[in-house]
Amino acid sequence: MSEALFDKDFLRTLEYLELIARRLVFGREHAQRMSSRRGASIEFRDFREYSPGDDPRTVDWSVYARLGELVVKLYRQEQELDLWVLLDRSASMSFGEPDKFQYAQRLAAALAYIGMCNMDSASVLPMAQTLERGFVRMRGRGAIFRLLDDIAAIRPGGTTDLEASVRGLISRTRRPGLVVLISDFYGLQGAQRAINQLRFFKHQIYAIQVVSPWELDPPIRGEHRLVDVESQDQSDLVITDGLLRRYRQAFDDFSVQLRRYCLRYSIGCSLAPTNTPFDEFLTAVLQRGGLVA
Amino acid sequence: MILLAPVALWLSLVGGAVIALYLLKIKRQRQTVPSLEFWRSLTGPQHTRSLMQRLKRLLSLLLWLLILLLLILSIGNPVFTFGKIKPRSIIVVLDNSASMQTIEDDTTRLERAVADVRRMTSGRPVRDEWLLIESGRDIRVTQGWTHRAADMIDGATTILPHQGETDLAEAVALADQLLEGKRRPTIVVVSDGSAGELERIAASNERVILRPIGVRRDNVGITQIRVRPNRQRSTQHVFVRVSNSSDAARMLDLVLEVDGTTVGVEPIEIEAEGTWESTLVMERPEGGVLRAYLDVDDALTLDNQAFAIMPPIRSARVLLVSDPLEAFFFEQALGAMSPLVDVDGSATIDPAELQSVDWHAAAPDLVILNMAAPPPSLDASAVVTLNGLPAWTGARSIGELAEPRLNIALTSHPLMRFLELAGAQVARAHRVELTRPADVLVASDEGDPLVFHVRDPRQDTMCFAFDVLETDLPFRNSFPIMLRNAVSHLVEEGAAWTPSQVRVGEVIMSRRRAPEGVQTVTAYTLFDEEEIAHDITTQDGAFQFEGTSRPGPIRFEIGDDLAYAAVNVASERETVITPMLLPEDAPRLALSSTLASAPPWFVLGVLALVLVLFEWNSFHMRWTE
């Protein structure tokens, strides 16, 4: 386990977050969430008219006796819920102070721990050009140290292809689950296509946009040679107040577009500035209830 | 184009700094960003070292270099010719007469003239050749030929104010000589006009360009003061003329002081551009130093006072040198002139005794030589020669005139006062050739001089080119009057050691030789109530004094004797300070062209400022980098 990344304080924070999550999400919304927990697996939901082909066992004969109409009873189908945390490890995530990737690693670890404790399984998969091997379908608290080691072993680098990575996830999963995308989401068009694919396959999606304070308000002025951290492309720019104003507006628009897109499809989305302690951020997310719909 | 302040070119070193700064600017600070595309989406397509980018950078550099160039030129105070102004050889004649001491806005006209020389020499956009002549007490070249405006300015600033008259015509004549063979000769006269004299000079000389100085004309000044003792009545007759050059009538007081004591105040009223003159009679037989001043506040204070020497009135001692047989007529005439002539103190000697006369002891005021062959020289200040032509007069006989008629040629001369010679005739006379300037008082019908007056600082001589005893009755009747005029006029002027009155700057030359043994004469000037002693070494008994730079009285101590002289501005030309008006079509010295009716340095400075604003704006609008 990486001492620097996941220290004892981090572990205590995980415990705290898990308790918060159990109370806020998995306790309160127990009836609304499809779960494999015993004792609550078969639950009546509604009636509808019988249609040819319906299982005759679902016909409510007592209704038929009283009203003479064939109606079938609908039950909430029992389903396992897997948590898939897709962690963007592209070079752009290694930017910022504090480091965006470290922040994302902690978020991923915390979410995975909560998932391991409260859900059917939790996986943390790094992604760059494609989805990579990672920490897959782990359950129970006992795997926490392996989880942390695996996450700490991930190194940032390369470029991001969110769409290809999501395709890789879809090919691996047999049933819909909760997919948390932790990324900076540069290349919004690709991100939207990736989210769409997940949406089409009935995954619940939560997008966490990790940003550094530098990206929100770059503290630079004057003549600069800007170097793309992923492609190493360069561009000479004179950073003026006007340009910075336009930059801040554009970055704000970029984040708003992502959130609006997610909102349109009832997808949870949060902006995670790295100068906000990750536990505070996650607590806020859990309190909003957007993580597990 | 030339730069008047070429030191500004040192600023071009800043250009190197600008380029260095741009080279440093090219080495940009590297900044890693998570997504360059994001930034590019804000600025459009950006390619390092793209042609457009290079041009933007180059444009910015060029703009700054242009701004720097404009600033250098602006500070350098450029002047432009636009090809219209050609180099010339220019002589600047700077008027340094008394009228140039007129105060105009707390500066004298001379200071304004110097400033004009600075403006003119600095404002010429071509490489002219300059020379500066000061027209003051003397006409002198203050700065020789030079191409540097700074030399001219230095030369002009060394000129000290002169408080007397000057001769601008002579200065222009000198300039004309110095311009011989020069390319595009030009004479620029910087003056207040010298009471109209300059217009006449300019009209007769196409090389002359006038640069008028001054605007004020409110001046009243004493333009003439003369004292003539009336020996008959033992009174002093003081003639004073006051001129008003302003365009308004003035009422003021003329105050008269003798030896520091006010002896009279004369209220006077002068019309605009008019004169007031009067002869005031003062009972001061003992003489004294007269100071007349005007109680007035005007533009030129120099001419508000004037001085005159009132000589002590006494009878004249006459030494008649004549054959005793011919002396009777002259002795009778002189005897009738008492008290004008001191009969007892006068004497008659034979020409043979002339060599043995002790001139210092005899001290005659007038010597009358009635002899055909006068001595080659005579130690007397006033001489009347009859029938002889002394060598010192420069007159010589070249023949004889038979029975010439006498005609008065110069009626206004003091020696000709109260005379009427119509029809007078002499038996014969010398045909005289004059080799020195002389006033011909009486001439024959043909114009031959018969009576003439030769003025010399040391010796006034009145010559009769005929024997007075061989004349007709009309002349014999007139001769005593002529003799009286001679005693009256020549004694006043001739008996004095020095002329009683000179103009500022004029050299005072002794009229008589100092007694033997007197090697040094001391002159005491009393200018501005400060007495300063000047020792003058005599040469063969003669002396001269040049320290007449300011108005005031001068006292000479010559052995045991005293003499006085007064130095005055007293000039109509200097008192009339009305500046000349240059006609529209008068030739002018072309100076630097203006840009948009403004000085070039100003326009260039504004242009630089506009470019700075443009560069700043273009930088923020991202037209440049």
Side-chain angles (χ1 to χ4, degrees), chain B residues 273-284:
Chain B
E273 298 179 358
T275 57
W276 174 93
E277 55 187 35
S278 179
T279 302
L280 309 171
V281 178
M282 301 177 67
E283 300 206 357
R284 296 284 295 197

Side-chain angles (χ1 to χ4, degrees), chain B residues 102-109 111-112 215-216:
Chain B
T102 301
I103 303 293
E104 305 253 6
D105 293 334
D106 295 333
T107 57
T108 64
R109 285 183 177 174
E111 289 166 337
R112 286 176 166 243
V215 290
R216 289 183 73 174

Side-chain angles (χ1 to χ4, degrees), chain B residues 100 104 109 112-113 116 190-192 211-215 579-580:
Chain B
M100 294 295 278
E104 305 253 6
R109 285 183 177 174
R112 286 176 166 243
D116 191 58
V190 185
S191 169
D192 56 2
R211 291 192 55 100
I213 301 292
V215 290
M580 62 180 165

Side-chain angles (χ1 to χ4, degrees), chain B residues 446-459:
Chain B
E446 290 76 31
D448 291 305
L450 297 174
V451 180
F452 52 94
H453 176 213
V454 178
R455 290 181 64 89
D456 185 276
R458 296 191 181 89
Q459 205 164 38

